[in-house]
Amino acid sequence: MSTFQRILMATDLDEPSEAAAHTAASLARSLRAELAFVHIFAPPATIYSAYPDFTSLLPVEEVQTAAARALEAWLTRIEAPSQAKRLLHPGEPAQTILEVAESFSANLIVVGTHGRRGVSRALLGSTAEKLVRLSPVPVLTVREQPTPQ
């Protein structure tokens, strides 16, 4: 029996995530594991909640609907397995991915990485790095595939 029976693939819908998605799907197929794709979206800022005119501009439902459409379009483009679960959650990416992994009972998290170093990594942060440091289950990071010149 495989150690990895429930694989969670976290995506921000960018190119490095595509390579990670293909890796996750291939692993799930070969291990006969359950696969779920999760996208974490940023909820509208609530700093203006004292001003109703601002908060009505971007209701959470509209942001969630847009995120759901973007996730489905991305999954269609990468030809994700139809039986894979699709999960969508608001929040801070690393922490929310860990919460989703726990609720999904994932025993492997797969995530794409840009492979940034130095100042760009410090300025942009690294969800993959946070996952590797904080996850109680193994995290497989997949680097973006170089484009042929």
Side-chain angles (χ1 to χ4, degrees):
M1 182 177 342
S2 168
T3 304
F4 304 123
Q5 298 170 343
R6 296 175 68 85
I7 299 171
L8 180 68
M9 192 279 146
T11 178
D12 59 3
L13 311 178
D14 66 358
E15 286 187 35
S17 291
E18 290 183 28
H22 292 296
T23 299
S26 177
L27 277 171
R29 209 173 18 260
S30 66
L31 298 172
R32 295 188 177 150
E34 189 173 349
L35 175 62
F37 291 94
V38 63
H39 175 60
I40 310 303
F41 67 94
T46 57
I47 58 172
Y48 298 111
S49 62
Y51 305 99
D53 292 342
F54 288 110
T55 57
S56 65
L57 293 176
L58 279 173
V60 174
E61 297 81 22
E62 286 184 31
V63 174
Q64 185 168 350
T65 299
R69 280 192 205 118
L71 174 61
E72 204 51 49
W74 183 83
L75 290 168
T76 299
R77 191 176 82 247
I78 66 159
E79 299 176 353
S82 59
Q83 71 276 16
K85 290 186 179 196
R86 280 104 160 110
L87 308 171
L88 188 66
H89 292 271
E92 185 280 321
Q95 187 58 44
T96 307
I97 291 165
L98 293 173
E99 291 166 5
V100 171
E102 183 178 2
S103 67
F104 179 64
S105 300
N107 41 31
L108 177 66
I109 298 171
V110 179
V111 65
T113 180
H114 293 277
R116 290 189 182 107
R117 297 180 186 270
V119 175
S120 65
R121 187 178 140 262
L123 292 175
L124 298 171
S126 171
T127 298
E129 180 200 5
K130 289 176 189 171
L131 290 173
V132 168
R133 282 190 295 108
L134 301 173
S135 177
V137 300
V139 176
L140 173 62
T141 60
V142 180
R143 250 184 115 168
E144 180 176 17
Q145 300 299 313
T147 53
Q149 299 290 330

